[in-house]
């Protein structure tokens, strides 16, 4: 990681407000509203073999997220899709991470933002495995921060501000020798990891927390469909920490993370089992067009 170039100093092209600009010139002003008040939303999408997986779903969620924060994007789903595809091609990439981001600009400063204009950029780059589980699965800490209640924040928006506690929790975990952290919600129920949804397995049944106070991930929803296609029972319900000792397997899902087995979370241990591996393979086949839902 030490040799990885800074993200502001790379060759390539970034789509910015309707046109491709050289990577190093894709800048915003220091008084951009989003920088001061977190009025920003984004997506994380992966391209496989030149095809961007579930692109329109992600583009629609970007528009929905902006709307939840009170600003509407002037670009349609079709226009966002086309811009992502154009940016991928301009950077001559086939397997890549695609990052659309939209924000309130520098037209007004202060908590009020009625006079700001919406802006959007799209960057793509090669990004390998986001999390490396090794042979025995990820080691997760228990986060010191909790996911907020749905009446305190727009929890179904992929909003930049909601990731502040994720970054703090991940840093806390890494400083203690872990790779990531399992987060509970405001009630103390199991929620998710810092940037990925959680699935547990017991006796061949898949259990996942109900996404009441965290993002209902697109990868999460794809995995549920894959499991049910195989005839695997999927149960969405509240999961309390004391139940974790009864689960045999645990894996995370996310567009960046994909499917990642977990070996331990705090005091609880899990095996990297056959069902987790099967879902991991099914997802890989799905995103590369070898399997249909």
């Amino acid at each position: 990681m030490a040799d990885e170039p800074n993200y502001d100093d790379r060759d390539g092209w970034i789509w910015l407000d309707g046109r491709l600009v050289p990577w190093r010139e894709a800048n915003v002003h220091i008084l951009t509203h989003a920088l001061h008040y977190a009025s920003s939303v984004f997506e994380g999408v992966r391209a496989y073999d030149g095809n961007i997986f579930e692109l329109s779903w992600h583009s629609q969620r970007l528009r929905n997220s902006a709307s939840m924060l009170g600003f509407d994007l002037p670009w349609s789903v079709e226009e966002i899709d086309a811009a992502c595809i154009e940016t991928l091609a301009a950077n001559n990439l086939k397997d890549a991470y695609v990052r659309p981001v939209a924000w309130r600009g520098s037209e007004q400063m202060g908590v009020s933002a009625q006079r700001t204009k919406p802006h959007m950029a799209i960057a793509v780059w090669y990004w390998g495995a986001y999390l490396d589980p090794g042979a025995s699965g990820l080691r997760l800490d228990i986060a010191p921060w909790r996911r907020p209640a749905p009446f305190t924040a727009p929890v179904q928006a992929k909003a930049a501000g909601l990731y502040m506690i994720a970054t703090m929790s991940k840093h806390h975990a890494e400083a203690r020798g872990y790779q990531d952290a399992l987060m509970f919600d405001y009630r103390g129920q199991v929620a998710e990891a810092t940037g990925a949804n959680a699935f547990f397995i017991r006796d061949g049944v898949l259990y996942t927390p109900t996404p009441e106070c965290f993002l209902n991930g697109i990868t999460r929803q794809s995995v549920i469909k894959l499991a049910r296609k195989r005839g695997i029972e999927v149960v969405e319900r509240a999961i309390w920490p004391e139940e974790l000792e009864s689960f045999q397997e645990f894996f995370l899902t996310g567009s960046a993370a994909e499917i990642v087995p977990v070996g331990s979370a705090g005091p609880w241990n899990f095996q990297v089992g056959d069902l987790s591996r099967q879902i991991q393979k099914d997802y890989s086949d799905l995103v590369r067009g070898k399997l249909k839902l």
Side-chain angles (χ1 to χ4, degrees), residues 48-49 51 53 282-292:
Y48 301 89
D49 302 323
N51 296 309
F53 181 64
D282 285 351
Y283 184 75
S284 178
D285 288 345
L286 176 67
V287 298
R288 295 193 179 275
K290 299 176 184 178
L291 181 66
K292 301 294 183 183

Side-chain angles (χ1 to χ4, degrees), residues 242-290:
E242 51 265 33
E243 190 179 357
L244 293 180
E245 64 182 357
S246 71
F247 294 121
Q248 293 129 2
E249 300 178 47
F250 174 16
F251 62 86
L252 302 177
T253 67
S255 294
E258 301 171 293
I259 313 298
V260 189
V262 175
S264 65
W268 301 287
N269 295 310
F270 309 91
Q271 63 186 24
V272 180
D274 291 341
L275 188 47
S276 293
R277 292 191 187 96
Q278 183 63 64
I279 291 172
Q280 195 174 36
K281 181 182 184 302
D282 285 351
Y283 184 75
S284 178
D285 288 345
L286 176 67
V287 298
R288 295 193 179 275
K290 299 176 184 178

Side-chain angles (χ1 to χ4, degrees), residues 11-23 26 47 50 52 55 79-94 96-101 120-126:
D11 296 326
W13 299 88
I14 290 177
W15 189 99
L16 177 60
D17 284 347
R19 64 186 183 93
L20 289 168
V21 301
W23 190 289
I52 305 176
L55 175 56
E79 289 170 328
I80 298 171
D81 286 355
C84 290
I85 293 167
E86 179 185 11
T87 310
L88 184 69
N91 287 280
N92 195 29
L93 290 171
K94 297 294 185 182
Y97 186 75
V98 183
R99 169 54 60 86
V101 56
M120 185 172 73
I122 300 163
V124 303
W125 63 91
Y126 175 76

Side-chain angles (χ1 to χ4, degrees), residues 113-128:
Q114 293 91 336
R115 296 197 306 276
T116 58
K117 295 179 181 179
H119 300 266
M120 185 172 73
I122 300 163
V124 303
W125 63 91
Y126 175 76
W127 210 8

Side-chain angles (χ1 to χ4, degrees), residues 1 7 17 74 85 90 95 100 109 133 165 185 189 197 207 226-227:
M1 293 297 291
Y7 278 86
D17 284 347
I85 293 167
D95 291 312
M109 181 47 62
I165 56 175
D185 70 10
Q189 295 176 5
N197 293 132
Y207 296 85
L226 283 170

